[in-house]
């Protein structure tokens, strides 16, 4: 592939994940010259069935998206270990190549800072982002039911596709939750419930994570291909080493390296960073020079600061009846009842007994999930066993079919000390300091995880489950790998990195489209908000161009 820079482009986008792909697609479709620089390689769609087999065959899995090694090294010098490479994909499509595909809107209270905790407000409101949310749902192709979630924010019209029906295990949860006064509702998914945008409907491979072989689940290669069809140039395997500035403090070039070690400068009128909440602050810090000793876009000192994630809380076990575990590879039912009211009580409808008491403590919002993939799959049991024929069938029957579990997310508050910085003691394959994740939880996160666990145990007890495990503050809980907050949005240049138009306070032609601009984490999966912000960024860029 020709990896030389293009003639001076209108826009240079760094990163070919969902944000970069959407920005590139929209701007190229409007007639602008766009160049996308991606650190990882372009994966062949035709390999996905082989990747699926690799992912489920014991002893051969490895990392089907080729993460790891010197290129992807990182450090943990904070209070907690953050296993960064568990979730990253460097390649065209980014993390959407192996994401779960859940796409909920954040709530108005998330933007307004109206939760009963210390989360600050965003400089934009839900209504500001509302039209971009709708546009993002159309772009990704979202299947959902608009009417069944009484806790969801206001929207205009139905989802682009009908929602997926509840699973069999959802029906078991629904009965128990009804007894406890907990409302279940559907989950919007960025996967096709019917043919959409040239892609077929979901055929139920069930390996959504780590790979969708059919392409029914959205990934960002969709919009990369759209961008290329509109004239954009996408260059893979060219990690950007640094950004350079001119005499007017505008970004003049992105300096990248090709696989043969050749260094190039890509010039453009505008630059967009869309490489995620870890690599974006790392690149800005790596771009330090004599005029910017603390890195680019960092006059506030906030680059890399306020790193946030969602924490997983969950519990599960077995029932004395069939649950049809792993029949569906994604989540079809949730409850957002405790999102805006995490301290709400639970009372048993039949007995009137208070099962979970009301609490006035400050919590993060709590999102409850009813898992369709609890316990081992029959394929996993068979492939990992030593038996064949009837003995193997007996083993599968004994170990499969009655597992059940709940999950949930709680968000971290933005904390100055949680950050992405550089570790000069460890370098990557180009000699650059690797990202150092300095991560800690805090009391509110621990309280919120425990609160979610209490609700989950109440539901599982009502089901009559034999609870076998709990992911809690003492073990099992960990990040959902939603990197947020390292180049936060704000109106005050002394406290934030980008303005509400997603443009750097310090460099007039530098924009950031990423979850790194999130002011708070909420507790909703972030990809739809990332997509909406990317479309907002593209709109503002289009106006300037």
């Amino acid at each position: 592939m020709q990896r030389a820079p293009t003639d001076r482009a209108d826009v240079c986008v760094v990163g070919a994940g969902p944000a970069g792909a959407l920005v590139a697609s929209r701007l190229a479709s409007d007639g602008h010259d766009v160049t996308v620089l991606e650190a990882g390689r372009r994966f062949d769609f035709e390999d996905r069935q082989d990747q699926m087999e690799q992912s489920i065959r014991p002893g051969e899995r490895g990392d089907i998206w080729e993460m790891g090694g010197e290129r992807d090294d990182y450090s943990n010098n904070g209070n907690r270990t953050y296993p960064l490479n568990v979730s990253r994909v460097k390649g065209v499509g980014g993390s959407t190549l192996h994401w779960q595909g859940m796409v909920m809107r954040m709530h108005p209270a998330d933007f307004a800072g109206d939760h009963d905790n210390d989360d600050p407000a965003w400089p934009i409101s839900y209504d500001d982002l509302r039209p971009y949310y709708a546009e993002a749902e159309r772009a990704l192709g979202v299947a959902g039911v608009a009417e069944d979630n009484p806790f969801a924010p206001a929207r205009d019209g139905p989802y682009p596709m009908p929602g997926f029906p509840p699973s069999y295990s959802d029906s078991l949860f629904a009965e128990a939750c009804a007894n406890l006064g907990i409302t279940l509702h559907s989950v919007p998914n960025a996967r096709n419930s019917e043919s959409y945008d040239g892609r077929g409907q979901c055929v139920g491979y069930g390996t959504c994570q780590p790979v969708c072989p059919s392409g029914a689940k959205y990934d960002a290669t969709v919009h990369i291909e759209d961008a290329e069809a509109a004239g954009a140039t996408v260059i893979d395997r060219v990690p950007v080493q640094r950004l350079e500035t001119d005499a007017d403090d505008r970004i003049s070039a992105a300096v990248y390296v090709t696989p043969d070690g050749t260094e190039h400068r890509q010039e453009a009128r505008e630059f967009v960073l869309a490489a995620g909440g870890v690599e974006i602050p790392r690149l800005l810090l790596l771009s330090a020079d004599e005029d910017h000793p603390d890195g680019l876009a960092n006059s506030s000192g906030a680059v890399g600061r306020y790193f946030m994630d969602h924490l997983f809380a969950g519990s599960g076990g077995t029932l004395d009846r069939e649950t049809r575990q792993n029949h569906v590879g994604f989540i079809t039912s949730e409850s957002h009842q405790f999102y805006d009211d995490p301290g709400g009580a639970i009372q048993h409808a039949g007995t009137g007994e208070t099962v979970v008491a009301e609490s006035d403590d400050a919590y993060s919002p709590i999102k409850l999930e009813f898992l369709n993939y609890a316990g081992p799959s029959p394929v996993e049991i068979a492939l990992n066993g030593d038996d064949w024929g009837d003995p193997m069938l007996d083993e599968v029957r004994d170990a499969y079919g009655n597992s059940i579990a709940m999950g949930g997310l709680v968000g971290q508050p933005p904390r100055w000390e949680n950050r992405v910085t550089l570790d000069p003691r460890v370098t990557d394959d180009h000699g650059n300091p690797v990202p150092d994740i300095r991560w800690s939880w805090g009391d509110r996160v621990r309280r919120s995880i425990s609160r979610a666990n209490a609700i989950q145990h109440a539901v599982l007890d009502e089901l009559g489950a034999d609870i076998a495990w709990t992911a809690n503050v003492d073990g099992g809980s960990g990040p959902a790998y939603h990197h947020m907050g390292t180049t936060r949005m704000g109106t005050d240049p002394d406290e934030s990195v980008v303005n509400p138009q997603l443009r750097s306070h310090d460099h007039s032609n530098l924009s950031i489209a990423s979850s790194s601009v999130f002011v708070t984490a909420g507790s909703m999966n972030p990809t739809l908000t990332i997509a909406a912000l990317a479309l907002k960024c593209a709109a503002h860029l289009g106006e300037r161009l």
Side-chain angles (χ1 to χ4, degrees):
M1 177 184 178
Q2 173 61 256
R3 291 187 169 86
T6 62
D7 292 337
R8 185 173 174 86
D10 291 324
V11 183
C12 173
V13 179
V14 179
L22 284 165
V23 169
S25 174
R26 291 306 159 96
L27 292 177
S29 297
D30 289 342
H32 302 295
D33 292 326
V34 179
T35 298
V36 181
L37 305 177
E38 168 55 47
R41 76 174 179 94
R42 190 186 298 255
F43 293 92
D44 190 339
F45 182 85
E46 300 304 318
D47 293 337
R48 290 193 182 186
Q49 289 202 24
D50 291 337
Q51 289 175 299
M52 176 181 69
E53 181 176 345
Q54 180 187 349
S55 74
I56 62 178
R57 189 172 290 279
E60 297 184 17
R61 178 170 181 173
D63 191 314
I64 66 172
W65 300 112
E66 302 176 1
M67 284 298 299
E70 191 179 20
R71 181 194 73 171
D72 306 317
D73 209 351
Y74 62 95
S75 296
N76 277 288
N77 288 308
N79 293 337
R80 287 185 174 271
T81 298
Y82 191 93
L84 180 62
N85 284 344
V86 169
S87 68
R88 291 200 294 175
V89 175
K90 289 183 180 178
V92 175
S95 60
T96 56
L97 293 172
H98 73 164
W99 69 317
Q100 192 175 53
M102 299 165 68
V103 280
M104 295 76 66
R105 300 183 183 194
M106 293 178 71
H107 283 201
D110 290 319
F111 296 97
D114 283 346
H115 291 298
D116 190 16
N117 56 39
D118 56 355
D119 278 354
W122 292 42
I124 61 174
S125 69
Y126 172 76
D127 284 339
D128 291 330
L129 208 56
R130 183 169 167 175
Y132 298 108
Y133 268 136
E135 187 179 356
E137 288 167 348
R138 293 191 296 271
L140 273 58
V142 176
V145 181
E147 304 84 14
D148 77 333
N149 183 353
F151 314 105
R155 54 179 299 113
D156 300 306
Y159 287 97
M161 286 176 282
F164 287 90
S167 69
Y168 177 76
S169 61
D170 287 346
S171 68
L172 303 180
F173 278 119
E175 181 178 355
C177 286
N179 293 339
L180 298 174
I182 297 175
T183 300
L184 269 68
H185 49 77
S186 62
V187 179
N189 277 280
R191 53 174 47 81
N192 294 353
S193 61
E194 59 188 22
S195 294
Y196 184 85
D197 196 24
R199 296 177 288 123
Q201 71 181 71
C202 176
V203 294
Y205 279 104
T207 59
C208 311
Q209 292 179 301
V211 60
C212 172
S214 72
K217 183 184 68 174
Y218 172 83
D219 68 71
T221 62
V222 169
H223 284 99
I224 287 294
E225 291 170 3
D226 287 349
E228 289 179 309
T233 299
V234 179
I235 310 176
D236 73 335
R237 294 197 293 163
V238 287
V240 176
Q241 306 295 293
R242 64 188 180 276
L243 302 176
E244 294 180 344
T245 57
D246 61 19
D248 296 321
D249 225 10
R250 291 169 58 85
I251 307 300
S252 57
V255 179
Y256 65 88
V257 177
T258 60
D260 65 3
T262 304
E263 189 171 277
H264 291 289
R265 297 175 75 257
Q266 177 63 59
E267 298 181 350
R269 293 167 58 195
E270 294 277 349
F271 290 81
V272 179
L273 302 187
V278 172
E279 292 297 335
I280 288 174
R282 180 192 183 210
L283 176 58
L284 293 172
L285 295 172
L286 286 174
S287 301
D289 57 26
E290 184 176 344
D291 294 326
H292 310 92
D294 297 321
L296 298 186
N298 199 24
S299 62
S300 64
V303 167
R305 299 284 187 175
Y306 304 111
F307 176 76
M308 300 175 287
D309 206 315
H310 295 136
L311 276 299
F312 175 78
S315 189
T318 56
L319 292 180
D320 59 0
R321 57 194 185 276
E322 183 183 58
T323 63
R324 300 184 191 172
Q325 68 193 63
N326 282 284
H327 185 66
V328 180
F330 54 93
I331 295 174
T332 46
S333 290
E334 286 190 328
S335 179
H336 298 171
Q337 183 166 331
F338 302 95
Y339 194 87
D340 291 333
D341 185 22
I346 298 177
Q347 289 187 316
H348 196 285
T351 66
E353 175 189 359
T354 298
V355 179
V356 177
E358 185 176 6
S359 174
D360 292 329
D361 288 336
Y363 297 104
S364 297
I366 294 173
K367 179 172 78 79
L368 297 177
E369 303 168 340
F370 301 93
L371 306 184
N372 288 322
Y373 37 80
S377 74
V379 174
E380 179 184 352
I381 297 168
L383 288 177
N384 282 292
D386 297 323
D387 294 323
W388 296 89
D390 289 342
M392 182 183 74
L393 182 59
D394 290 339
E395 182 182 0
V396 170
R397 285 171 171 163
D398 289 342
Y400 170 77
N402 66 341
S403 293
I404 197 160
M406 290 181 65
L409 297 182
V410 301
Q412 292 186 283
R415 305 175 71 195
W416 176 262
E417 62 268 30
N418 281 346
R419 65 185 297 199
V420 175
T421 186
L422 302 178
D423 187 349
R425 299 169 300 177
V426 183
T427 56
D428 66 10
D429 54 341
H430 293 288
N432 295 314
V434 302
D436 180 14
I437 314 298
R438 302 189 180 188
W439 191 51
S440 60
W441 284 7
D443 291 339
R444 195 181 96 192
V445 167
R446 286 188 282 268
R447 281 197 307 272
S448 301
I449 293 171
S450 296
R451 182 72 175 179
N453 290 151
I455 299 169
Q456 292 160 346
H457 284 184
V459 175
L460 292 170
D461 286 342
E462 181 64 22
L463 271 171
D466 181 7
I467 298 176
W469 61 270
T470 299
N472 58 22
V473 295
D474 297 320
S477 180
Y481 308 107
H482 300 156
H483 314 141
M484 298 169 281
T486 51
T487 60
R488 63 164 20 185
M489 184 196 316
T491 56
D492 187 346
D494 292 332
E495 296 184 354
S496 56
V497 177
V498 299
N499 65 20
Q501 287 74 47
L502 291 309
R503 184 163 54 165
S504 162
H505 292 299
D506 297 351
H507 312 286
S508 61
N509 68 334
L510 176 64
S511 299
I512 298 179
S514 169
S515 58
S516 65
V517 307
F518 283 24
V519 178
T520 57
S523 296
M524 296 295 186
N525 302 55
T527 303
L528 188 70
T529 303
I530 295 171
L533 288 168
L535 293 168
K536 185 177 190 295
C537 178
H540 295 306
L541 270 172
E543 292 169 357
R544 293 203 297 276
L545 291 169

